[in-house]
Amino acid sequence: MLNAQLQSVISIGDYAQISGNAGAAGLAAQLRATAEKLLPQFDTGYWSLYSLGGDEAPLAYHDYVVMLLRRLAARTGDTTWSDFATRFQSYERQAPVVKPSPAATADPSAAPIVIYPDPQDGYLDAVAFTFWLSKYSTVTLHAGGRAQSVALPHGTQSIVWSPGLRAPGTYYPYLTAVDAAGNSTKVPLRQVVIKALVPPVVDAHVAGKRTLVWSATDAGTPWLHLVVRLDNGAKQRYRDLGRLPLAGRLVLPVPSGTWQATLVAANSGHQSVTVQLGSVSSP
C-alpha cells in the first residue's frame, strides 16, 4: 500500500531524528529511495493506486497520500515528492475520461445498432456498449427513459442495455461517469434502432419425392419453427419438424401414399408464413 510505505518513511525518519539512531536513519533513507523509485508505478495518469498493481485508492486514501507526499517534500526539499503531490491533487479536479469503442461511438454517418428485443429469444435482444474509462467512477447508462448505474474501475469496461418491451423506434443512449471527487462527464453512444419482428420470407420446395429444401430471410431470429401439413382427401396429418436453421434440407416423414404438403414457417415472435409445397409421396 502506497500510504503505508510513505507513512513508514516518515515515522521511521521521525524516530531516527528523535533518538539519533543511525540504523533507523539508514533504514528510513532506504525506504525513501525505494518509495521514490516505485512512486511512478502508483500513478495511472488519472488517479493513484491503493497498492502496486492493484485497485485505485479511495478518495480518503488518495488525499492522505497527497498529504504524506507534501510532508516528505517539506522534509527533504526534493521536488519529486511535491511534483507527485501536485499531480495527484490535480486528478481530483479532472472529470473522468470515457472513450467508447469504435462500434459504440456516436457517429451520425454510421449505421445504427439494430436489435429485436421482443420476444426475448436470446438473439439480438440487447446491446453491449464497450468503452475505456480513465478512473474509478460510477458509470450510468441512460437509454429509453431509464438509467442503470454501476461502479467501475479504470480500464476497458462494458455495460449491456436490455430494453425489453420498448416500442420500436430509434433511441439515443449516452453514458455519464462521476468519479470519487464528484467530477462528471457525459458521452453519447451509437444510436440504437429497435425493430419489431415481421413474418419471415421463405422460399421452399420439395426435391424428388419428399425432400424439403428451404431458405429463409429473417433478420430478427436465427431459427424457424417448421410444421408440414399433409392432406390426402379427408385424411390430414401434421409433421412438426421443430426448430431448424434458416436454410437446410431434410427428408420428410411422409405416410404411405401421395399427399399435398403445406409448410408453415414461424419465427420466435410467432410470425408465420405458409408455403404450398405440392405433392409428396412415400412408397
Side-chain angles (χ1 to χ4, degrees):
M1 296 182 291
L2 178 57
N3 61 84
Q5 290 177 316
L6 298 178
Q7 184 61 66
S8 296
V9 173
I10 292 172
S11 297
I12 295 174
D14 287 342
Y15 171 76
Q17 186 175 18
I18 294 170
S19 66
N21 188 306
L27 177 58
Q30 292 176 5
L31 291 174
R32 185 169 62 248
T34 300
E36 182 175 355
K37 183 178 180 180
L38 294 176
L39 191 54
Q41 298 182 45
F42 287 92
D43 184 4
T44 69
Y46 299 90
W47 202 254
S48 67
L49 295 179
Y50 180 72
S51 59
L52 193 61
D55 297 332
E56 292 153 284
L59 178 59
Y61 280 98
H62 185 80
D63 283 336
Y64 183 50
V65 165
V66 170
M67 182 270 292
L68 294 175
L69 290 170
R70 295 204 183 284
R71 287 183 61 183
L72 281 169
R75 173 171 300 187
T76 64
D78 187 342
T79 58
T80 297
W81 309 108
S82 58
D83 288 346
F84 270 98
T86 300
R87 186 178 310 152
F88 283 0
Q89 194 159 51
S90 72
Y91 296 158
E92 298 186 26
R93 301 186 296 272
Q94 297 173 359
V97 177
V98 179
K99 296 180 180 179
S101 68
T105 299
D107 183 354
S109 65
I113 300 169
V114 178
I115 56 175
Y116 299 80
D118 182 22
Q120 296 284 298
D121 60 1
Y123 183 75
L124 297 180
D125 292 338
V127 55
F129 295 105
T130 300
F131 54 93
W132 180 83
L133 180 65
S134 65
K135 55 181 170 177
Y136 183 89
S137 303
T138 297
V139 180
T140 303
L141 172 63
H142 305 261
R146 291 187 179 178
Q148 59 187 81
S149 299
V150 60
L152 297 171
H154 72 288
T156 300
Q157 308 291 349
S158 289
I159 295 182
V160 176
W161 182 41
S162 299
L165 300 180
R166 290 285 187 281
T170 302
Y171 292 79
Y172 299 88
Y174 64 93
L175 294 174
T176 56
V178 181
D179 70 10
N183 303 295
S184 65
T185 191
K186 176 181 176 180
V187 177
L189 297 170
R190 180 73 56 88
Q191 67 190 54
V192 177
V193 172
I194 294 178
K195 289 189 175 182
L197 282 181
V198 296
V201 177
V202 179
D203 178 42
H205 66 278
V206 173
K209 293 184 177 182
R210 55 192 178 99
T211 298
L212 173 64
V213 181
W214 76 94
S215 176
T217 301
D218 192 326
T221 184
W223 53 261
L224 293 175
H225 189 159
L226 302 184
V227 175
V228 174
R229 190 185 74 213
L230 301 171
D231 293 283
N232 183 339
K235 294 186 291 186
Q236 192 173 78
R237 302 286 187 272
Y238 288 90
R239 296 294 183 261
D240 189 337
L241 306 179
R243 291 185 181 182
L244 293 167
L246 295 180
R249 61 190 295 137
L250 57 78
V251 176
L252 291 173
V254 178
S256 179
T258 299
W259 303 75
Q260 292 298 311
T262 302
L263 174 68
V264 179
N267 60 23
S268 62
H270 305 293
Q271 302 282 340
S272 64
V273 294
T274 300
V275 181
Q276 298 299 326
L277 299 174
S279 296
V280 295
S281 61
S282 179

